[in-house]
Coordinates of all heavy atoms in Angstrom, one line a residue:
Chain A
R46 N -13.6 -2.0 -33.5 CA -12.6 -1.3 -34.3 C -12.2 -2.2 -35.4 O -11.9 -1.8 -36.5 CB -11.4 -0.8 -33.6 CG -10.5 0.2 -34.4 CD -9.5 0.8 -33.6 NE -8.7 1.8 -34.4 CZ -7.7 2.6 -33.9 NH1 -7.2 2.5 -32.8 NH2 -7.1 3.4 -34.7
E62 N -8.2 6.5 -29.8 CA -7.1 7.7 -30.1 C -7.2 8.7 -29.1 O -6.2 9.3 -28.7 CB -7.4 8.1 -31.6 CG -7.1 7.1 -32.7 CD -5.6 6.4 -32.6 OE1 -4.7 7.1 -32.0 OE2 -5.6 5.2 -33.0
I63 N -8.3 9.1 -28.8 CA -8.5 10.3 -27.8 C -7.8 9.9 -26.4 O -6.9 10.6 -25.9 CB -9.9 10.6 -27.5 CG1 -10.4 11.5 -28.7 CG2 -10.1 11.6 -26.4 CD1 -11.8 11.9 -28.6
F64 N -8.1 8.7 -25.9 CA -7.6 8.4 -24.6 C -6.2 7.9 -24.6 O -5.4 8.2 -23.7 CB -8.4 7.1 -24.0 CG -9.7 7.7 -23.3 CD1 -10.9 7.8 -24.0 CD2 -9.6 8.0 -22.0 CE1 -12.0 8.3 -23.3 CE2 -10.8 8.5 -21.3 CZ -11.9 8.6 -22.1
R65 N -5.7 7.5 -25.8 CA -4.2 7.0 -25.8 C -3.4 8.4 -26.1 O -2.2 8.2 -25.9 CB -4.0 6.1 -26.9 CG -4.8 4.8 -26.7 CD -3.8 3.6 -27.0 NE -2.9 3.8 -28.0 CZ -1.8 3.0 -28.0 NH1 -1.5 2.2 -27.0 NH2 -0.9 3.2 -29.0
N66 N -3.9 9.5 -26.4 CA -3.1 10.6 -26.7 C -3.3 11.8 -25.8 O -2.9 12.9 -26.1 CB -3.4 11.0 -28.1 CG -2.6 10.0 -29.1 OD1 -1.5 9.8 -29.1 ND2 -3.5 9.4 -29.9
T67 N -3.9 11.5 -24.6 CA -4.1 12.5 -23.6 C -3.6 11.9 -22.2 O -3.7 10.7 -22.2 CB -5.5 13.1 -23.6 OG1 -6.4 11.9 -23.6 CG2 -5.9 14.0 -24.6
P68 N -3.2 12.8 -21.3 CA -2.6 12.2 -20.0 C -3.8 11.7 -19.2 O -4.8 12.2 -19.0 CB -2.0 13.4 -19.4 CG -2.0 14.5 -20.3 CD -3.1 14.2 -21.3
I70 N -3.8 11.8 -15.8 CA -4.2 12.8 -14.8 C -5.3 13.7 -15.4 O -6.1 14.1 -14.5 CB -2.9 13.6 -14.4 CG1 -1.9 12.5 -13.7 CG2 -3.3 14.6 -13.4 CD1 -0.6 13.1 -13.4
L71 N -5.3 14.2 -16.6 CA -6.3 15.0 -17.0 C -7.6 14.3 -16.9 O -8.6 15.0 -16.4 CB -6.1 15.3 -18.5 CG -7.1 16.1 -19.3 CD1 -6.9 17.6 -18.8 CD2 -7.0 16.1 -20.7
M74 N -8.7 14.2 -13.2 CA -9.2 15.6 -12.8 C -10.6 15.8 -13.2 O -11.5 16.3 -12.5 CB -8.2 16.6 -13.3 CG -6.9 16.8 -12.6 SD -5.9 18.2 -13.3 CE -4.5 17.9 -12.3
A75 N -10.8 15.5 -14.5 CA -12.1 15.8 -15.1 C -13.1 15.0 -14.5 O -14.2 15.5 -14.1 CB -12.1 15.4 -16.6
F78 N -13.5 16.2 -10.6 CA -14.0 17.5 -10.3 C -15.3 17.7 -11.0 O -16.1 18.5 -10.5 CB -13.1 18.6 -10.8 CG -11.7 18.6 -10.1 CD1 -10.5 18.9 -10.8 CD2 -11.7 18.1 -8.8 CE1 -9.3 18.9 -10.2 CE2 -10.4 18.2 -8.1 CZ -9.3 18.5 -8.8
M79 N -15.6 17.0 -12.1 CA -16.8 17.5 -12.9 C -18.0 16.6 -12.8 O -19.2 16.8 -13.1 CB -16.5 17.6 -14.4 CG -15.7 18.7 -14.6 SD -15.2 19.0 -16.4 CE -16.7 19.6 -16.9
Y96 N -9.4 5.2 -19.3 CA -8.1 5.3 -19.8 C -7.4 3.9 -20.1 O -7.0 3.7 -21.3 CB -7.1 6.1 -18.9 CG -5.7 6.3 -19.3 CD1 -5.4 7.5 -20.2 CD2 -4.7 5.5 -19.1 CE1 -4.2 7.7 -20.7 CE2 -3.5 5.7 -19.6 CZ -3.1 6.7 -20.3 OH -1.9 7.0 -20.8
E103 N -6.0 -1.7 -27.7 CA -4.9 -1.9 -28.7 C -4.1 -3.1 -28.4 O -3.6 -3.8 -29.4 CB -4.0 -0.6 -28.6 CG -4.6 0.6 -29.2 CD -5.1 0.5 -30.7 OE1 -6.1 0.0 -30.9 OE2 -4.3 0.7 -31.7
I152 N 1.1 -4.1 -14.8 CA 2.1 -3.4 -13.9 C 2.0 -1.9 -14.1 O 2.0 -1.2 -13.0 CB 3.5 -3.9 -14.4 CG1 3.7 -5.3 -14.1 CG2 4.6 -3.0 -13.7 CD1 5.0 -5.8 -14.6
T153 N 1.7 -1.5 -15.3 CA 1.6 0.0 -15.5 C 0.2 0.5 -14.8 O 0.3 1.6 -14.2 CB 1.4 0.3 -17.1 OG1 2.5 -0.2 -17.7 CG2 1.3 1.7 -17.3
K156 N 1.0 1.0 -11.1 CA 1.8 2.2 -11.1 C 0.9 3.5 -11.2 O 1.1 4.4 -10.5 CB 2.9 2.3 -12.1 CG 4.0 1.3 -11.8 CD 5.2 1.6 -12.6 CE 5.1 1.3 -14.1 NZ 6.3 1.6 -15.0
S159 N -1.1 5.3 -8.5 CA -0.4 6.3 -7.5 C -0.7 7.7 -8.0 O -0.6 8.6 -7.1 CB 1.1 6.1 -7.6 OG 1.6 6.4 -9.0
F160 N -1.3 7.9 -9.2 CA -1.8 9.3 -9.6 C -2.9 9.7 -8.7 O -3.2 11.0 -8.6 CB -2.1 9.4 -11.1 CG -1.0 9.3 -12.0 CD1 -1.1 8.8 -13.3 CD2 0.4 9.6 -11.6 CE1 0.0 8.7 -14.1 CE2 1.4 9.5 -12.5 CZ 1.2 8.9 -13.8
Q163 N -2.9 12.5 -5.5 CA -3.0 13.9 -5.5 C -4.6 14.3 -5.2 O -4.8 15.5 -5.2 CB -2.4 14.6 -6.7 CG -3.0 14.2 -8.0 CD -2.5 14.9 -9.1 OE1 -2.4 16.2 -9.1 NE2 -2.0 14.3 -10.2
F170 N 0.4 5.3 -2.0 CA 1.3 6.6 -2.2 C 0.7 7.7 -1.3 O 1.5 8.5 -0.6 CB 1.4 7.0 -3.7 CG 2.3 8.1 -3.8 CD1 3.4 8.3 -3.1 CD2 1.9 9.0 -4.9 CE1 4.3 9.4 -3.4 CE2 2.8 10.1 -5.2 CZ 4.0 10.3 -4.4
K174 N 2.5 9.7 1.8 CA 2.7 11.1 1.9 C 2.0 11.7 3.2 O 2.7 12.6 3.8 CB 1.9 11.7 0.8 CG 2.6 11.9 -0.5 CD 1.7 12.7 -1.6 CE 2.3 12.8 -3.0 NZ 1.4 13.4 -3.7
L177 N 4.5 10.9 6.0 CA 5.6 11.8 6.0 C 5.2 13.3 6.6 O 6.0 13.8 7.4 CB 6.1 12.1 4.5 CG 7.3 13.0 4.3 CD1 8.5 12.3 4.8 CD2 7.5 13.3 3.0
S188 N 16.9 13.5 6.5 CA 16.8 13.0 5.1 C 16.7 11.5 5.3 O 16.2 10.9 4.4 CB 18.1 13.4 4.3 OG 19.2 12.9 5.0
I191 N 13.1 10.4 5.0 CA 12.6 10.4 3.8 C 13.1 9.1 2.9 O 12.3 8.5 2.3 CB 13.0 11.7 3.0 CG1 12.5 12.9 3.7 CG2 12.6 11.6 1.5 CD1 13.0 14.3 3.1
F192 N 14.4 8.8 3.1 CA 15.0 7.7 2.5 C 14.3 6.4 2.8 O 14.1 5.6 2.2 CB 16.5 7.6 2.6 CG 17.2 8.4 1.6 CD1 17.6 9.7 1.8 CD2 17.5 7.9 0.4 CE1 18.1 10.5 0.9 CE2 18.3 8.7 -0.6 CZ 18.5 9.9 -0.3
F195 N 10.4 6.4 1.9 CA 10.1 6.1 0.4 C 11.0 4.9 -0.2 O 10.5 4.3 -1.2 CB 10.2 7.4 -0.3 CG 9.1 8.3 -0.2 CD1 9.1 9.2 0.9 CD2 8.1 8.1 -1.0 CE1 8.0 9.9 1.1 CE2 6.9 8.8 -0.7 CZ 6.8 9.7 0.2
V198 N 8.2 2.4 0.5 CA 7.3 2.5 -0.5 C 7.6 2.0 -1.8 O 6.9 1.1 -2.5 CB 6.8 4.0 -0.7 CG1 5.9 4.2 -1.7 CG2 6.1 4.5 0.6
A199 N 8.9 2.3 -2.3 CA 9.3 1.9 -3.5 C 9.4 0.4 -3.6 O 9.2 -0.3 -4.5 CB 10.7 2.6 -3.9
Y202 N 6.1 -1.5 -3.9 CA 5.7 -1.4 -5.3 C 6.6 -2.3 -6.2 O 6.1 -3.1 -7.0 CB 5.8 -0.1 -5.9 CG 4.6 0.9 -5.7 CD1 4.7 2.1 -4.9 CD2 3.4 0.7 -6.2 CE1 3.7 2.9 -4.6 CE2 2.2 1.5 -6.0 CZ 2.5 2.5 -5.1 OH 1.4 3.5 -5.0
F203 N 7.9 -2.2 -5.9 CA 8.7 -3.0 -6.7 C 8.5 -4.6 -6.6 O 8.4 -5.2 -7.6 CB 10.2 -2.7 -6.3 CG 11.3 -3.4 -7.2 CD1 11.7 -3.0 -8.4 CD2 11.8 -4.7 -6.7 CE1 12.6 -3.6 -9.2 CE2 12.6 -5.3 -7.5 CZ 13.1 -4.8 -8.6
N206 N 5.3 -5.5 -8.4 CA 5.4 -5.4 -9.9 C 6.4 -6.4 -10.4 O 6.3 -6.9 -11.5 CB 5.7 -4.1 -10.3 CG 4.4 -3.2 -10.2 OD1 3.4 -3.6 -10.2 ND2 4.7 -1.8 -9.9
F207 N 7.6 -6.5 -9.7 CA 8.5 -7.3 -10.2 C 8.1 -8.8 -10.3 O 8.3 -9.5 -11.2 CB 9.8 -7.2 -9.5 CG 11.1 -7.9 -10.0 CD1 11.6 -7.5 -11.2 CD2 11.6 -9.0 -9.3 CE1 12.7 -8.1 -11.7 CE2 12.7 -9.6 -9.8 CZ 13.2 -9.3 -11.0
S210 N 6.1 -9.2 -13.3 CA 7.0 -9.3 -14.5 C 7.8 -10.5 -14.7 O 8.0 -11.1 -15.8 CB 7.8 -8.1 -14.7 OG 9.1 -8.1 -13.8
R214 N 7.6 -13.1 -17.8 CA 8.7 -13.7 -18.5 C 8.7 -15.3 -18.5 O 8.9 -15.8 -19.5 CB 10.0 -13.2 -17.8 CG 11.1 -13.0 -18.8 CD 12.3 -12.4 -18.2 NE 11.8 -11.0 -17.8 CZ 12.4 -10.3 -16.7 NH1 13.4 -11.0 -15.9 NH2 12.0 -9.1 -16.3
Chain B
P5 N -21.5 23.7 -17.2 CA -20.1 23.4 -17.2 C -19.4 24.0 -18.4 O -18.2 24.3 -18.4 CB -19.8 22.1 -17.0 CG -21.0 21.4 -17.5 CD -22.1 22.2 -17.1
F6 N -20.1 24.1 -19.5 CA -19.6 24.6 -20.8 C -20.2 25.9 -21.2 O -20.3 26.2 -22.4 CB -19.8 23.5 -21.9 CG -18.9 22.3 -21.6 CD1 -19.6 21.1 -21.0 CD2 -17.5 22.2 -21.7 CE1 -18.8 20.1 -20.8 CE2 -16.8 21.0 -21.3 CZ -17.4 20.0 -20.9
E66 N 14.9 -2.5 -14.1 CA 13.9 -3.2 -13.4 C 13.4 -2.2 -12.3 O 12.2 -2.1 -12.0 CB 14.3 -4.4 -12.7 CG 14.7 -5.5 -13.7 CD 13.4 -6.1 -14.4 OE1 12.4 -5.8 -14.0 OE2 13.7 -6.8 -15.5
F67 N 14.3 -1.4 -11.6 CA 13.9 -0.5 -10.6 C 12.9 0.5 -11.1 O 11.9 0.8 -10.7 CB 15.1 0.1 -9.9 CG 14.6 1.2 -8.9 CD1 14.1 0.8 -7.7 CD2 14.6 2.5 -9.2 CE1 13.7 1.6 -6.7 CE2 14.2 3.5 -8.3 CZ 13.7 3.1 -7.1
Q69 N 11.2 0.7 -14.0 CA 10.0 0.2 -14.6 C 9.0 -0.3 -13.6 O 7.8 -0.3 -14.0 CB 10.4 -0.9 -15.7 CG 11.0 -0.3 -16.9 CD 10.9 -1.2 -18.2 OE1 10.8 -2.3 -18.0 NE2 11.2 -0.8 -19.3
N70 N 9.4 -0.7 -12.4 CA 8.5 -1.3 -11.5 C 8.2 -0.4 -10.4 O 7.5 -1.0 -9.5 CB 9.0 -2.7 -11.1 CG 9.0 -3.8 -12.1 OD1 8.1 -3.9 -12.8 ND2 10.2 -4.4 -12.4
T71 N 8.4 0.7 -10.4 CA 8.0 1.7 -9.3 C 7.3 2.8 -10.0 O 7.8 3.2 -11.2 CB 9.2 2.2 -8.5 OG1 10.2 2.7 -9.2 CG2 9.8 0.9 -7.6
P72 N 6.3 3.5 -9.4 CA 5.6 4.4 -10.1 C 6.4 5.7 -10.2 O 7.1 6.2 -9.4 CB 4.4 4.8 -9.1 CG 4.3 3.6 -8.3 CD 5.7 3.1 -8.1
A74 N 5.3 8.8 -10.3 CA 4.8 9.8 -9.4 C 5.6 9.7 -8.0 O 6.0 10.7 -7.4 CB 3.4 9.6 -9.0
V75 N 6.0 8.5 -7.5 CA 6.7 8.2 -6.3 C 8.2 8.7 -6.6 O 8.8 9.4 -5.8 CB 6.6 6.7 -6.0 CG1 7.5 6.5 -4.8 CG2 5.2 6.3 -5.6
F78 N 8.2 12.5 -6.5 CA 8.1 13.1 -5.3 C 9.3 12.8 -4.4 O 9.8 13.7 -3.6 CB 6.8 12.3 -4.7 CG 6.4 12.9 -3.4 CD1 5.7 14.0 -3.2 CD2 6.8 12.1 -2.2 CE1 5.4 14.5 -2.0 CE2 6.4 12.7 -0.9 CZ 5.7 13.8 -0.8
F79 N 10.0 11.7 -4.7 CA 11.0 11.4 -3.9 C 12.3 12.3 -4.2 O 12.9 12.9 -3.3 CB 11.6 9.9 -4.1 CG 13.0 9.6 -3.5 CD1 13.0 9.4 -2.1 CD2 14.1 9.6 -4.2 CE1 14.1 9.0 -1.5 CE2 15.3 9.3 -3.6 CZ 15.3 9.0 -2.3
N82 N 11.7 15.7 -2.5 CA 11.8 15.9 -1.1 C 13.2 15.6 -0.8 O 13.8 16.1 0.2 CB 10.9 14.9 -0.4 CG 9.6 15.5 -0.4 OD1 9.3 16.5 0.3 ND2 8.6 15.1 -1.3
A83 N 13.9 14.5 -1.5 CA 15.1 14.0 -1.1 C 16.3 14.9 -1.4 O 17.2 15.1 -0.7 CB 15.4 12.6 -1.6
A86 N 16.7 17.7 1.0 CA 17.2 17.3 2.2 C 18.7 16.9 2.1 O 19.3 16.9 3.2 CB 16.3 16.0 2.6
L87 N 19.2 16.6 1.0 CA 20.7 16.2 0.8 C 21.4 17.4 0.6 O 22.7 17.4 0.3 CB 20.8 15.2 -0.3 CG 20.3 13.7 0.0 CD1 20.4 13.0 -1.2 CD2 21.1 13.1 1.2
Y104 N 13.1 7.9 -15.7 CA 12.0 7.0 -15.7 C 12.1 6.4 -17.2 O 12.2 5.2 -17.5 CB 10.7 7.6 -15.4 CG 9.5 6.6 -15.5 CD1 9.3 5.8 -14.5 CD2 8.8 6.8 -16.5 CE1 8.2 4.9 -14.4 CE2 7.6 5.9 -16.7 CZ 7.4 5.1 -15.7 OH 6.2 4.2 -15.6
Y108 N 13.0 2.8 -20.3 CA 12.1 2.2 -21.3 C 12.9 2.2 -22.7 O 12.9 1.4 -23.5 CB 10.8 2.9 -21.5 CG 9.8 2.5 -20.4 CD1 9.7 3.1 -19.1 CD2 9.0 1.4 -20.6 CE1 8.9 2.7 -18.1 CE2 8.1 1.0 -19.5 CZ 8.1 1.7 -18.4 OH 7.3 1.3 -17.3
V160 N 5.7 9.8 -27.0 CA 4.2 10.2 -26.7 C 4.0 10.0 -25.3 O 3.4 10.8 -24.6 CB 3.3 9.3 -27.6 CG1 1.8 9.4 -27.1 CG2 3.5 9.7 -29.1
K164 N 2.9 12.7 -22.3 CA 1.8 12.5 -21.4 C 2.3 12.4 -19.9 O 1.6 13.0 -19.0 CB 1.0 11.2 -21.7 CG 0.3 11.3 -23.0 CD -0.6 10.2 -23.2 CE 0.0 8.7 -23.3 NZ -1.0 7.7 -23.3
N165 N 3.3 11.9 -19.6 CA 3.9 11.6 -18.2 C 4.4 13.0 -17.7 O 4.6 13.0 -16.4 CB 4.9 10.6 -18.2 CG 4.2 9.2 -18.0 OD1 3.0 9.1 -17.6 ND2 4.9 8.2 -18.3
S167 N 2.8 15.4 -17.2 CA 1.7 15.9 -16.5 C 1.7 15.5 -15.0 O 1.2 16.0 -14.1 CB 0.3 15.3 -17.0 OG 0.3 13.9 -17.0
V168 N 2.7 14.4 -14.6 CA 2.8 14.0 -13.3 C 3.5 15.2 -12.5 O 3.4 15.3 -11.3 CB 3.6 12.8 -13.2 CG1 5.1 13.0 -13.3 CG2 3.5 12.1 -11.8
S170 N 2.4 18.1 -12.3 CA 1.4 18.9 -11.6 C 1.3 18.6 -10.1 O 0.9 19.5 -9.4 CB 0.1 18.5 -12.3 OG -0.2 17.2 -12.0
T171 N 1.9 17.4 -9.7 CA 1.8 17.2 -8.2 C 3.0 17.9 -7.4 O 2.8 17.9 -6.3 CB 2.0 15.6 -8.0 OG1 3.3 15.2 -8.6 CG2 0.9 14.8 -8.5
M178 N -0.5 20.7 -17.4 CA -1.4 20.2 -16.4 C -1.5 21.0 -15.1 O -2.6 21.2 -14.6 CB -1.1 18.7 -16.1 CG -2.2 17.8 -15.6 SD -3.4 17.4 -16.8 CE -4.6 18.5 -16.4
N182 N -4.8 22.9 -13.9 CA -5.5 22.6 -12.8 C -5.6 23.8 -11.8 O -6.7 24.2 -11.2 CB -4.7 21.4 -12.0 CG -5.3 21.0 -10.8 OD1 -6.6 21.1 -10.7 ND2 -4.6 20.5 -9.8
Y192 N -14.0 24.3 -15.0 CA -13.5 23.1 -15.4 C -13.7 22.6 -16.8 O -12.6 22.2 -17.4 CB -14.1 21.9 -14.6 CG -13.8 22.1 -13.1 CD1 -14.9 22.1 -12.2 CD2 -12.6 21.9 -12.6 CE1 -14.7 22.1 -10.8 CE2 -12.3 22.1 -11.3 CZ -13.4 22.1 -10.4 OH -13.2 22.3 -8.9
G193 N -14.9 22.9 -17.4 CA -15.2 22.3 -18.7 C -14.2 22.7 -19.8 O -13.4 22.0 -20.3
F196 N -10.3 21.9 -19.1 CA -9.9 20.4 -19.5 C -10.0 20.2 -20.9 O -9.1 19.4 -21.4 CB -10.7 19.5 -18.6 CG -10.5 19.6 -17.2 CD1 -11.5 19.3 -16.2 CD2 -9.1 19.8 -16.7 CE1 -11.1 19.4 -14.9 CE2 -8.8 19.7 -15.4 CZ -9.8 19.6 -14.4
A199 N -6.8 21.9 -22.5 CA -5.7 21.1 -22.2 C -5.6 19.8 -22.9 O -4.6 19.4 -23.5 CB -5.6 20.9 -20.6
G200 N -6.6 19.1 -22.9 CA -6.8 17.9 -23.6 C -6.5 17.9 -25.0 O -5.8 17.3 -25.8
Y203 N -2.7 18.6 -25.6 CA -1.9 17.3 -25.4 C -2.2 16.4 -26.7 O -1.3 15.8 -27.2 CB -2.4 16.6 -24.3 CG -1.8 17.0 -22.9 CD1 -2.4 17.7 -21.9 CD2 -0.4 16.8 -22.7 CE1 -1.7 18.0 -20.9 CE2 0.2 17.3 -21.6 CZ -0.4 17.8 -20.7 OH 0.2 18.3 -19.5
F204 N -3.5 16.3 -27.1 CA -3.8 15.4 -28.3 C -3.0 15.9 -29.4 O -2.5 15.1 -30.2 CB -5.4 15.4 -28.5 CG -5.7 14.5 -29.6 CD1 -6.0 13.2 -29.3 CD2 -5.9 15.0 -30.9 CE1 -6.4 12.3 -30.3 CE2 -6.3 14.1 -31.9 CZ -6.5 12.8 -31.6
C207 N 0.6 14.7 -29.2 CA 0.8 13.3 -29.2 C 0.3 12.6 -30.4 O 1.0 11.8 -31.0 CB 0.1 12.7 -28.0 SG 0.9 13.3 -26.4
F208 N -0.9 12.9 -30.9 CA -1.5 12.2 -32.0 C -0.7 12.1 -33.2 O -0.5 11.0 -33.8 CB -2.9 12.6 -32.3 CG -3.6 11.9 -33.3 CD1 -4.0 10.5 -33.1 CD2 -3.8 12.4 -34.7 CE1 -4.6 9.8 -34.1 CE2 -4.3 11.6 -35.7 CZ -4.9 10.3 -35.4
A211 N 2.1 9.6 -32.6 CA 1.7 8.2 -32.6 C 1.3 7.7 -34.1 O 1.5 6.6 -34.4 CB 0.5 8.1 -31.7
R215 N 2.9 4.7 -36.2 CA 2.2 3.5 -36.8 C 2.4 3.3 -38.3 O 2.5 2.3 -38.7 CB 0.7 3.8 -36.4 CG -0.1 2.5 -36.6 CD -1.4 2.5 -36.0 NE -2.2 3.7 -36.5 CZ -3.0 4.4 -35.8 NH1 -3.1 4.2 -34.5 NH2 -3.7 5.4 -36.4

Side-chain angles (χ1 to χ4, degrees):
Chain A
R46 190 173 186 179
E62 294 303 335
I63 287 180
F64 276 91
R65 295 229 326 156
N66 289 299
T67 44
I70 293 180
L71 178 75
M74 285 182 183
F78 297 150
M79 292 183 71
Y96 178 87
E103 285 302 89
I152 291 170
T153 303
K156 293 193 290 177
S159 66
F160 290 155
Q163 61 174 309
F170 183 37
K174 278 185 182 177
L177 183 69
S188 60
I191 299 174
F192 273 91
F195 281 89
V198 171
Y202 274 116
F203 180 83
N206 286 332
F207 187 66
S210 75
R214 210 169 301 147
Chain B
F6 296 99
E66 294 294 349
F67 176 78
Q69 287 195 345
N70 287 313
T71 51
V75 175
F78 184 77
F79 176 77
N82 285 285
L87 290 173
Y104 179 81
Y108 285 89
V160 171
K164 291 196 289 175
N165 272 338
S167 64
V168 78
S170 61
T171 55
M178 197 71 261
N182 188 27
Y192 294 124
F196 289 145
Y203 278 113
F204 186 82
C207 295
F208 181 72
R215 192 167 57 217

